[in-house]
Amino acid sequence: MCGIVGYFGLREAAPILVEGLEKLEYRGYDSAGVAILSEEGIEVSKCKGRLANLENRLMENPLEGNIGIGHTRWATHGEPSDVNSHPHSNAKVSVSVVHNGIIENYLRLREWLTSKGYEFLSETDTEVIPNLIDYYYKGNLIEAVMKAVSKMEGSYAIGVVCSKEPDKLVAVRKDSPLIVGLGKDEYFIASDIPAVLNHTRDIYLLEDKEFVVLTKDGVTLLNEMGETINKEVYHVTWNADAAEKGGYEDFMLKEIHEQPKAIKDTLTSRISLDHDIVLDKITITEETLKNIDRIYMVACGTAYHAAVVGKYVIEKLAKIPVEVDIASEFRYRDPLITEKSLIIVVSQSGETADTLAVLRDGKKKGARVIAITNVVGSSASREADDVLYTWAGPEIAVASTKAYVTQLIAMYIIALHFASLKKTLRQDEIYNIKKAMLELSGLAEETLKHKDVLQKFASQTYMEKDMFFLGRGLDYAVSMEGSLKLKEISYIHSEAYAGGELKHGPIALIEKGTVVIATLTQKDLIDKMVSNIKEVVTRGAKVMAITIEGNKDIEKTVDSVIYIPETLDILSPVLSVISLQLISYYMAKQKACDVDKPRNLAKSVTVE
Ligand code: M6R
């Protein structure tokens, strides 16, 4: 969590830092700050609340200088407050630091530094860093940062400025993302690419324990031994506009509407009716697959819900047993990983701490790891044995939408690929699935047209305190995602239940007026679901159904219906989820919630 930026160049640093922070607000937004370095020393401006508060402050008291660091925070250690905001400095304000991550041994370091006469003002773990750097500073900033970092345990991407060396900016990362932007006579650091895209498309993607020093002579990269290293420049091909709202009211709405394109992009070049599936970054062969006895699919949040769909689909098509788990649970439950295990981690950002821990532990235990991720150069993409990129483009809204549908597409691609290697499907069956997949983008466009019913439903129900989502099979998996979306952006409590499970307890909560959103797209389960719907209708529930075109009968049982285009049963989550996303979106808008930046959340959870 948190976003950091840094600027070294000829222009005023503060406005460039603020602009970069705007692009990183998805990583946290409970406070923000900048530190500007000039010949006169370091000046810091920081405050609690959204970035706009910092901007107002900087308007009243502008900070001048061409070198600086900035931070947007998602609080872990210490409540959101002015004093806990970053940058943090030592008492003399000769060293200032912005930090994304957690210093796990900060209490020990703090005690030790206190015994050496250092004083601390905040409750944060970060404050030990400038003090450690100050302690080790003996006339060489890079050496001091290296020494300090060698004492720190945990995760960090840090940017450092020091008044004793007003001609440089130093940064380093471990287990938190950090990129370097290479402009003309100006250089940047940032947690993510969109923060620098208005200025440059040439980027260095830093690896763990790599240091970068920005000076007027350019960018120097060092390894942890202090040796100079070379790196390839990564040229960003996507447009800065992709990270802008493009006329939509919110990023979330824009990203919901980008789903047809995201589906198409994720399929293009991989699935065609004329050739076999092409997965250039997955090198698993028929032989390797024979040696795999179990797949573990591990992820968090929305990505976990995509993995649940993946389990159904891989087991059905490729006949390989799949266990699916939440990363934060999996990593502490001693799973039986062996060299015959295949772990598939799913992560939009590729930086989620728990998911990365599973990836690393799995590799240590000899398992093969595939990463499904949306971010080129993310930790997951670099550390996994094989990668399948979802080409959703930058996802800015905290609530994941287009990343989820492209993760579903990735599941189908992998399932089909394995089925083809294992020959569990005939060629004509594979052909039919591919054909249906290639139609999905157009069907998603169709699905987006049914907004009126959803908007009306939202306007009638947004004041509810609780709701239920029901489904069976893949409709249950997608209901879990619908329920998460509703909770996170509209703050309405909801639960997703498997239709058949309701009568084992939760039905006790159904009373007159309870809102139930039932998804019925799995043809062989529709009758069973209708029975489950009748069970709640009998007890007074108001039911909205999401079902496939042609299932007119459902109108006799429920209060309102939204029809999605017919496709193969296994593919229907791609379409039904769009209606669920829109329901949440309209509910949140009715409640005047900030859909792009829901309270207490951050886009990228880089802490445990
Ligand atoms: O970047 P990741 O896919 O690893 O993130 C996982 C979750 O944090 C993420 O999906 C989260 O649940 C979203 N807020 C859901 O909308």
Side-chain angles (χ1 to χ4, degrees):
M1 331 287 256
C2 304
I4 71 167
V5 288
Y7 175 76
F8 188 109
L10 303 172
R11 293 188 278 164
E12 281 302 326
I16 296 173
L17 295 173
V18 170
E19 181 212 303
L21 291 177
E22 254 167 40
K23 303 285 186 308
L24 296 181
E25 259 196 307
Y26 72 86
R27 304 179 67 84
Y29 35 80
D30 56 41
S31 57
V34 293
I36 305 295
L37 175 66
S38 68
E39 292 296 334
E40 279 76 60
I42 297 173
E43 280 188 288
V44 176
S45 182
K46 57 182 190 171
C47 54
K48 182 182 159 177
R50 295 281 167 95
L51 193 56
N53 295 359
L54 175 70
E55 285 179 81
N56 290 338
R57 218 172 248 230
L58 285 169
M59 243 159 2
E60 281 160 26
N61 291 305
L63 301 185
E64 287 176 10
N66 314 118
I67 306 171
I69 50 178
H71 189 270
T72 181
R73 180 170 187 246
W74 186 83
T76 56
H77 294 58
E79 59 168 10
S81 66
D82 288 357
V83 72
N84 287 334
S85 311
H86 297 217
H88 287 282
S89 311
N90 58 339
K92 295 171 277 174
V93 198
S94 59
V95 181
S96 282
V97 170
V98 285
H99 168 219
N100 167 32
I102 290 184
I103 306 305
E104 287 165 2
N105 60 337
Y106 84 102
L107 282 175
R108 264 181 283 132
L109 290 172
R110 194 169 161 135
E111 259 170 45
W112 178 73
L113 285 163
T114 307
S115 75
K116 305 275 177 210
Y118 284 87
E119 282 172 18
F120 290 85
L121 302 174
S122 77
E123 303 157 89
T124 66
D125 51 335
T126 303
E127 202 180 355
V128 296
I129 307 175
N131 287 296
L132 266 183
I133 295 172
D134 178 63
Y135 178 80
Y136 288 117
Y137 188 80
K138 304 281 179 277
N140 184 322
L141 179 61
I142 298 155
E143 277 175 24
V145 173
M146 285 188 164
K147 199 79 206 242
V149 158
S150 72
K151 304 290 170 200
M152 287 157 34
E153 290 164 19
S155 58
Y156 48 82
I158 58 171
V160 185
V161 288
C162 172
S163 60
K164 292 176 186 155
E165 300 193 22
D167 57 349
K168 55 175 77 78
L169 191 162
V170 177
V172 57
R173 67 157 274 182
K174 178 184 162 272
D175 296 339
S176 291
L178 189 63
I179 60 113
V180 181
L182 307 166
K184 186 167 172 352
D185 297 327
E186 58 182 6
Y187 312 102
F188 310 81
I189 57 157
S191 300
D192 200 358
I193 294 172
V196 304
L197 263 193
N198 280 345
H199 311 289
T200 180
R201 288 162 169 277
D202 290 334
I203 305 287
Y204 284 139
L205 301 164
L206 288 196
E207 302 279 345
D208 275 355
K209 303 268 183 86
E210 286 180 351
F211 293 76
V212 59
V213 188
L214 312 183
T215 65
K216 69 175 173 27
D217 301 322
V219 170
T220 311
L221 300 170
L222 304 167
N223 64 17
E224 59 183 317
M225 270 85 72
E227 297 156 347
T228 308
I229 50 171
N230 292 317
K231 220 174 226 310
E232 248 178 60
V233 175
Y234 168 67
H235 186 73
V236 181
T237 49
W238 41 275
N239 208 308
D241 294 351
E244 302 291 343
K245 283 187 198 156
Y248 285 93
E249 224 175 295
D250 322 86
F251 279 113
M252 184 180 175
L253 192 61
K254 176 190 174 227
E255 288 161 7
I256 289 174
H257 282 85
E258 283 173 342
Q259 293 182 112
K261 178 175 185 302
I263 294 168
K264 203 177 193 173
D265 290 349
T266 305
L267 286 170
T268 299
S269 80
R270 290 159 172 167
I271 299 279
S272 148
L273 296 181
D274 314 327
H275 59 66
D276 287 343
I277 298 166
V278 183
L279 296 179
D280 47 348
K281 292 200 162 55
I282 296 189
T283 52
I284 290 177
T285 59
E286 198 181 334
E287 225 27 60
T288 347
L289 209 53
K290 270 191 197 138
N291 203 32
I292 283 165
D293 63 2
R294 183 167 300 273
I295 296 177
Y296 293 96
M297 301 199 81
V298 191
C300 302
T302 287
Y304 165 74
H305 295 150
V308 176
V309 172
K311 171 185 166 66
Y312 279 79
V313 177
I314 294 174
E315 289 188 343
K316 191 176 177 76
L317 303 186
K319 311 288 178 218
I320 308 172
V322 180
E323 274 191 39
V324 58
D325 216 332
I326 294 167
S328 56
E329 288 296 308
F330 187 80
R331 63 185 289 197
Y332 294 115
R333 75 164 169 85
D334 282 339
L336 304 174
I337 302 170
T338 68
E339 279 149 20
K340 286 176 152 260
S341 311
L342 171 66
I343 300 178
I344 303 182
V345 293
V346 191
S347 173
Q348 187 283 129
S349 61
E351 299 293 348
T352 299
D354 286 316
T355 309
L356 287 178
V358 170
L359 182 162
R360 289 170 187 147
D361 189 48
K363 282 189 76 176
K364 251 190 236 148
K365 291 181 174 148
R368 183 155 184 150
V369 182
I370 300 181
I372 298 176
T373 182
N374 194 38
V375 180
V376 176
S378 59
S379 302
S381 74
R382 282 180 283 132
E383 294 180 37
D385 299 299
D386 303 275
V387 187
L388 183 58
Y389 286 113
T390 51
W391 296 119
E395 193 182 59
I396 309 292
V398 167
S400 188
T401 52
K402 61 177 180 169
Y404 174 78
V405 298
T406 55
Q407 284 159 358
L408 298 185
I409 299 295
M411 299 300 160
Y412 301 132
I413 294 176
I414 288 182
L416 262 194
H417 182 52
F418 288 177
S420 146
L421 291 177
K422 282 191 72 196
K423 302 190 178 49
T424 49
L425 290 178
R426 294 188 313 270
Q427 280 309 312
D428 61 313
E429 289 172 316
I430 294 180
Y431 181 92
N432 287 339
I433 298 174
K434 284 205 255 181
K435 190 161 168 291
M437 285 170 76
L438 292 169
E439 283 161 9
L440 277 175
S441 168
L443 299 183
E445 286 285 6
E446 282 295 305
T447 311
L448 280 165
K449 289 184 187 150
H450 299 288
K451 288 187 200 110
D452 297 353
V453 187
L454 298 170
Q455 239 165 334
K456 187 167 164 223
F457 173 72
S459 68
Q460 290 164 346
T461 53
Y462 74 97
M463 294 298 282
E464 298 294 329
K465 292 266 173 293
D466 296 284
M467 289 189 195
F468 286 87
F469 288 78
L470 285 189
R472 281 176 172 253
L474 285 171
D475 290 332
Y476 169 47
V478 91
S479 294
M480 289 160 76
E481 175 57 8
S483 173
L484 174 63
K485 281 294 85 84
L486 187 72
K487 283 189 268 248
E488 68 181 327
I489 61 163
S490 71
Y491 316 140
I492 297 172
H493 171 251
S494 69
E495 298 291 343
Y497 279 102
E501 185 63 12
L502 206 66
K503 56 177 97 54
H504 297 284
I507 202 162
L509 292 167
I510 305 288
E511 53 187 14
K512 193 166 173 6
T514 306
V515 174
V516 173
I517 299 170
T519 305
L520 318 82
T521 67
Q522 304 297 297
K523 289 173 206 84
D524 53 344
L525 293 171
I526 284 187
D527 289 346
K528 303 263 174 230
M529 261 306 286
V530 170
S531 304
N532 297 137
I533 293 172
K534 284 190 172 148
E535 288 161 8
V536 296
V537 168
T538 311
R539 286 158 180 87
K542 281 193 286 187
V543 181
M544 143 77 97
I546 298 170
T547 191
I548 38 179
E549 267 160 16
N551 182 23
K552 284 271 173 203
D553 268 3
I554 195 70
E555 290 177 16
K556 295 179 203 146
T557 312
V558 301
D559 300 272
S560 49
V561 187
I562 184 101
Y563 293 102
I564 59 164
E566 198 179 340
T567 177
L568 297 181
D569 282 8
I570 51 162
L571 305 182
S572 69
V574 172
L575 306 178
S576 54
V577 78
I578 296 176
S579 301
L580 294 173
Q581 293 164 348
L582 285 168
I583 290 176
S584 304
Y585 175 81
Y586 291 126
M587 297 260 190
K589 290 305 272 188
Q590 287 281 350
K591 294 183 76 175
C593 298
D594 183 344
V595 291
D596 284 341
K597 297 193 189 91
R599 69 185 179 209
N600 305 338
L601 295 178
K603 181 73 181 160
S604 188
V605 185
T606 54
V607 294
E608 250 197 83

